[in-house]
Amino acid sequence: MIDKAACVLSVDAMGGDDAPAMVIDGLALSVIRHPKVRYLLHGDEARIVGLLEKHVALKAASRIRHTPDAVAMDDKPSHALRGGRDRGRTTSMWQAIASVKSGEAQATISAGNTGVLMAMSKLQLKTMKGIERPAIAALWPTVRGETVVLDVGANVGLDERQLVDFAVLGEAYARVILGIDRPSVALLNIGAEEVKGTEAVKAAAADIRESGIDMNFEGFVEGVDISLGKVDVVVTDGYTGNVALKTAEGTAKLIAHYLSSAIRRSWTAQLGYVLASGAFRTLRERMDPRHVNGGVFLGLNGIVVKSHGGTDALGFAAAVDLAIDLAGSDIQNKIASRVGEIKKHRPMTPLERLEAESREAIAP
Amino acid sequence: MIDKAACVLSVDAMGGDDAPAMVIDGLALSVIRHPKVRYLLHGDEARIVGLLEKHVALKAASRIRHTPDAVAMDDKPSHALRGGRDRGRTTSMWQAIASVKSGEAQATISAGNTGVLMAMSKLQLKTMKGIERPAIAALWPTVRGETVVLDVGANVGLDERQLVDFAVLGEAYARVILGIDRPSVALLNIGAEEVKGTEAVKAAAADIRESGIDMNFEGFVEGVDISLGKVDVVVTDGYTGNVALKTAEGTAKLIAHYLSSAIRRSWTAQLGYVLASGAFRTLRERMDPRHVNGGVFLGLNGIVVKSHGGTDALGFAAAVDLAIDLAGSDIQNKIASRVGEIKKHRPMTPLERLEAESREAIAP
């Protein structure tokens, strides 16, 4: 276990709508909170050097690795990886991940293109033994605190085995990041009854129950239960999880709109608003998506944190905090041991055995 | 077209957590707004008669049809329809739908078990020509007004043809209920790009574009766009739509919780709250899910409105308003002509032709 305060964080300085300026400003906030962390900045050296001029502490804590290219926000994963043998490898994103692979850094962060980041992470870091696909996990604010929700966008269409894998990944993540001993886990469904839902969701619930794994599994929850914090980990596929996450964002915007138009209606309401401005500030802060910025790629041999592309320095710094928390934790070992445990309980299917054998055959 | 003010509404008086008292109280609110509407009340005659005693106007506008049985909220669709040849037929729910089938009533409403209501409606009313499965459509409050979202729970796992059908159903519904001439329509997806999303969603978008149908089709929207009112009709499958709807409900509850705890923190905030109480009342009313209560079953040969089972008299009255609006509209003809139009543009698959032929062969 690495000292959290003294880890090395590899940064894709060119990822995000307002990169690299937003990235450098975000790191400048982070360095105040984590003075011992060292940053490896991958990107356009000339621009980064210029931006670091006004941040003395960050400059001292950083090393720059020049890369000539950057992944565009609208690049397709296939496009960014194809076209010229070394095309992808000359980008800041590829090199930021490479620093984790080489062991030089304990985690990497990027606010760049999600699809390309996932593809490059899979190519370089590979999925952990026993895990078929990585997931993106988000921390969702709830009435009770925070809940881990996964997958929120990496995988469209999952079978039951992948959902079971995600339950294991999410549970291990909740242990580390929420500090809960036996996190409660549930599958997202459209009713608490066993008869409803997709075949994959129903089969995954049966698999977890029959696997004999020691997990605080509570069956199904509905969409309303996420924000109510009914369980610590909510498992779903990337399509549904992404729709849920963005629907919640839209609902928060709608209510903010209602609130501001209701208050503008009368002068007593406006006066009341002034008197209650502290309360509204608190409300705004709690509703501010920047504070819960940062999706973690779970199931890879290395820690990759994805910041929202459209965030600002404050939001990026929140994602950096998350990456540093994870870099200083033993999350990878915890996940690996939990994955090993559940795989022990569940015999391999013939296809899984074949895949495992071919993986071993081509391993370097 | 029937005079909206003078239609007959068939009511499942026994459906809902607090039925029949909640149902009768809700109808008593409705009769004030629609004095010419007549109500056919299906259920336990003795109990209904007792409840009507305190509602003179409603009593005068109602006729009671006694039924000995009621569908329980946790009945499975198969269970409610099986077991004794006439088991389902002796329930208030079955008889309420039967009144629409016979033409005695122009619409029916129930706050009972959704799955059973859908199964009984399909059995009695049958799906419209050219439509494979009915959908449940909800009206979703947005920054711009209201958006039709379907399906919100009837169908798990749809292929592209069914999604195209739902686009047609939702568009016709928006024309009637929102009074929009050329409603904009989009499919719910996890990114605006054509490369993302499930195969069915991508294929449905291509089908609509290639069909040549005259529809204001805007491609894909994301979860955040629903509450922002980006389009008038959002089409998705029942699993995703239900998760989205309930996630929005949970988010609203979370924000209400944040707001009340923020206000309780200081006396100035509490004073401000008192001064702005009118504004907060407006906010609460706009966030009140009872005002948008009522899901419509689209694609059947008859109008069926589903009220939330846990609602109160106010919420039930809102669903009754919706049923009366639809009963007095020519929505069924509008949908039928739009369905005919799109089917004209799209040749039948061999399977569709076979199904159509077998449907005609067994028709009475």
Side-chain angles (χ1 to χ4, degrees):
Chain A
M1 194 161 155
I2 294 134
D3 178 10
K4 169 178 157 180
C7 71
V8 176
L9 185 68
S10 166
V11 181
D12 169 14
M14 310 308 283
D17 297 343
D18 301 322
M22 173 281 285
V23 172
I24 302 300
D25 289 346
L27 293 175
L29 294 173
S30 162
V31 83
I32 301 166
R33 295 196 281 254
H34 309 283
K36 284 195 200 163
V37 170
R38 293 296 166 262
Y39 305 91
L40 259 183
L41 309 182
H42 299 269
D44 182 331
E45 184 161 17
R47 291 179 70 187
I48 296 171
V49 166
L51 290 163
L52 282 178
E53 281 313 312
K54 56 175 176 169
H55 301 297
V56 181
L58 178 62
K59 192 179 172 185
S62 301
R63 268 185 298 161
I64 305 172
R65 295 277 170 83
H66 179 71
T67 55
D69 294 319
V71 174
M73 291 309 268
D74 56 357
D75 270 351
K76 287 184 192 171
S78 54
H79 179 75
L81 292 169
R82 254 200 325 245
R85 201 179 131 230
D86 290 331
R87 195 184 173 282
R89 301 179 188 220
T90 56
T91 62
S92 56
M93 187 185 277
W94 180 281
Q95 291 301 328
I97 301 162
S99 297
V100 173
K101 188 178 162 113
S102 70
E104 208 178 356
Q106 283 77 51
T108 185
I109 183 164
S110 173
N113 183 316
T114 311
V116 178
L117 185 64
M118 180 54 94
M120 286 184 172
S121 299
K122 277 201 280 195
L123 257 174
Q124 293 189 74
L125 302 174
K126 308 275 187 309
T127 51
M128 296 173 85
K129 193 165 173 283
I131 295 290
E132 238 170 289
R133 303 200 208 176
I136 306 179
L139 284 174
W140 189 298
T142 75
V143 167
R144 283 175 53 233
E146 280 176 319
T147 286
V148 172
V149 180
L150 77 167
D151 176 22
V152 295
N155 303 279
V156 165
L158 291 179
D159 64 23
E160 56 268 29
R161 283 187 309 158
Q162 291 149 355
L163 286 170
V164 175
D165 284 353
F166 286 9
V168 175
L169 291 175
E171 200 236 20
Y173 183 55
R175 281 171 191 254
V176 171
I177 210 77
L178 305 178
I180 301 170
D181 230 14
R182 277 178 59 76
S184 52
V185 180
L187 291 157
L188 188 59
N189 204 347
I190 61 170
E193 308 100 87
E194 299 290 327
V195 293
K196 289 186 182 171
T198 64
E199 291 310 313
V201 166
K202 287 189 276 184
D207 274 6
I208 293 174
R209 289 218 171 86
E210 287 159 19
S211 69
I213 190 176
D214 174 41
M215 183 187 279
N216 185 4
F217 180 63
E218 301 208 348
F220 300 134
V221 291
E222 295 190 75
V224 65
D225 300 319
I226 309 175
S227 288
L228 297 180
K230 200 169 170 187
V231 290
D232 301 311
V233 181
V234 174
V235 179
T236 186
D237 75 281
Y239 181 80
T240 313
N242 190 279
V243 166
L245 191 71
K246 293 195 171 158
T247 299
E249 188 188 332
T251 307
K253 285 184 179 176
L254 175 65
I255 295 172
H257 167 83
Y258 281 167
L259 185 60
S260 77
S261 69
I263 279 160
R264 264 186 270 112
R265 274 175 139 188
S266 75
W267 69 267
T268 47
Q270 285 175 35
L271 178 61
Y273 178 75
V274 171
L275 283 168
S277 59
F280 285 112
R281 202 165 41 240
T282 308
L283 179 67
R284 261 200 308 275
E285 270 167 25
R286 299 188 86 167
M287 282 173 66
D288 188 342
R290 293 178 302 175
H291 292 294
V292 285
N293 184 30
V296 180
F297 291 2
L298 293 178
L300 294 165
N301 296 308
I303 298 164
V304 179
V305 172
K306 167 70 175 72
S307 159
H308 196 289
T311 195
D312 61 7
L314 190 65
F316 193 76
V320 171
D321 281 350
L322 183 63
I324 292 171
D325 277 351
L326 291 172
S329 77
D330 59 347
I331 182 162
Q332 296 298 96
N333 291 332
K334 272 206 174 122
I335 289 179
S337 80
R338 292 291 288 166
V339 170
E341 209 177 309
I342 195 159
K343 296 289 159 180
K344 201 172 60 200
H345 284 281
R346 202 181 59 181
M348 272 192 202
T349 64
L351 182 65
E352 276 180 305
R353 202 170 306 120
L354 206 66
E355 284 168 350
E357 284 165 9
S358 69
R359 233 196 311 265
E360 274 158 32
I362 60 163
Chain B
M1 194 162 157
I2 295 134
D3 178 9
K4 170 178 158 179
C7 71
V8 176
L9 184 68
S10 167
V11 181
D12 169 14
M14 310 309 282
D17 297 343
D18 302 320
M22 173 281 284
V23 172
I24 301 301
D25 289 346
L27 293 175
L29 294 172
S30 161
V31 83
I32 301 166
R33 296 196 280 254
H34 310 282
K36 283 194 197 164
V37 170
R38 293 295 165 260
Y39 304 90
L40 260 182
L41 310 181
H42 299 268
D44 182 332
E45 184 160 19
R47 292 180 70 186
I48 296 172
V49 166
L51 290 163
L52 282 177
E53 280 314 310
K54 55 174 177 171
H55 300 297
V56 181
L58 178 62
K59 191 179 174 184
S62 301
R63 267 184 299 160
I64 305 171
R65 296 277 170 82
H66 179 70
T67 55
D69 294 320
V71 173
M73 291 307 268
D74 56 357
D75 270 352
K76 286 184 192 171
S78 54
H79 179 77
L81 293 167
R82 254 201 324 246
R85 202 179 130 229
D86 290 332
R87 196 184 173 284
R89 301 178 188 222
T90 56
T91 62
S92 55
M93 188 185 278
W94 180 281
Q95 291 302 327
I97 301 162
S99 296
V100 173
K101 187 179 162 120
S102 70
E104 210 178 355
Q106 283 78 50
T108 185
I109 183 164
S110 173
N113 183 315
T114 310
V116 179
L117 185 64
M118 180 54 93
M120 287 183 170
S121 299
K122 278 202 278 197
L123 257 174
Q124 292 190 75
L125 302 175
K126 308 276 189 307
T127 51
M128 296 173 86
K129 195 165 171 283
I131 295 290
E132 239 170 286
R133 303 202 209 174
I136 306 179
L139 283 174
W140 189 298
T142 76
V143 168
R144 284 175 53 233
E146 281 176 318
T147 286
V148 172
V149 180
L150 78 168
D151 175 21
V152 294
N155 302 279
V156 165
L158 292 178
D159 64 22
E160 57 267 30
R161 284 188 308 159
Q162 290 149 355
L163 286 170
V164 175
D165 284 353
F166 287 7
V168 174
L169 292 175
E171 200 237 18
Y173 183 54
R175 282 171 190 256
V176 170
I177 211 76
L178 305 178
I180 301 170
D181 231 14
R182 277 179 59 78
S184 52
V185 180
L187 291 157
L188 187 59
N189 205 346
I190 62 171
E193 308 99 88
E194 300 288 329
V195 292
K196 289 185 180 172
T198 64
E199 291 310 313
V201 166
K202 288 190 276 186
D207 274 8
I208 293 174
R209 289 220 170 85
E210 286 159 20
S211 70
I213 190 176
D214 174 40
M215 184 189 278
N216 185 5
F217 179 63
E218 302 208 350
F220 300 135
V221 291
E222 295 191 76
V224 65
D225 301 318
I226 309 175
S227 288
L228 297 180
K230 200 169 169 186
V231 290
D232 302 310
V233 182
V234 174
V235 180
T236 186
D237 75 280
Y239 182 80
T240 314
N242 190 279
V243 166
L245 190 71
K246 293 196 171 157
T247 299
E249 188 188 333
T251 307
K253 285 183 179 176
L254 174 66
I255 296 172
H257 167 82
Y258 281 167
L259 186 60
S260 76
S261 69
I263 278 160
R264 264 187 271 113
R265 274 177 140 188
S266 75
W267 70 268
T268 46
Q270 286 176 36
L271 178 61
Y273 178 74
V274 172
L275 283 167
S277 58
F280 285 111
R281 202 164 41 240
T282 308
L283 178 68
R284 261 200 307 276
E285 271 167 23
R286 299 187 86 168
M287 283 173 65
D288 188 342
R290 293 178 303 176
H291 291 293
V292 284
N293 183 30
V296 180
F297 291 2
L298 294 178
L300 295 165
N301 296 307
I303 298 164
V304 179
V305 172
K306 168 68 175 70
S307 160
H308 196 288
T311 195
D312 61 7
L314 191 65
F316 192 76
V320 170
D321 281 349
L322 183 64
I324 292 171
D325 277 351
L326 291 172
S329 77
D330 60 347
I331 183 163
Q332 296 297 97
N333 291 333
K334 273 207 173 120
I335 290 179
S337 80
R338 293 290 290 165
V339 170
E341 209 178 306
I342 194 159
K343 297 287 162 182
K344 202 170 62 199
H345 284 280
R346 201 181 60 181
M348 272 192 204
T349 64
L351 182 65
E352 277 180 306
R353 202 171 305 120
L354 206 67
E355 284 168 349
E357 283 166 9
S358 69
R359 233 196 313 265
E360 272 159 33
I362 60 162

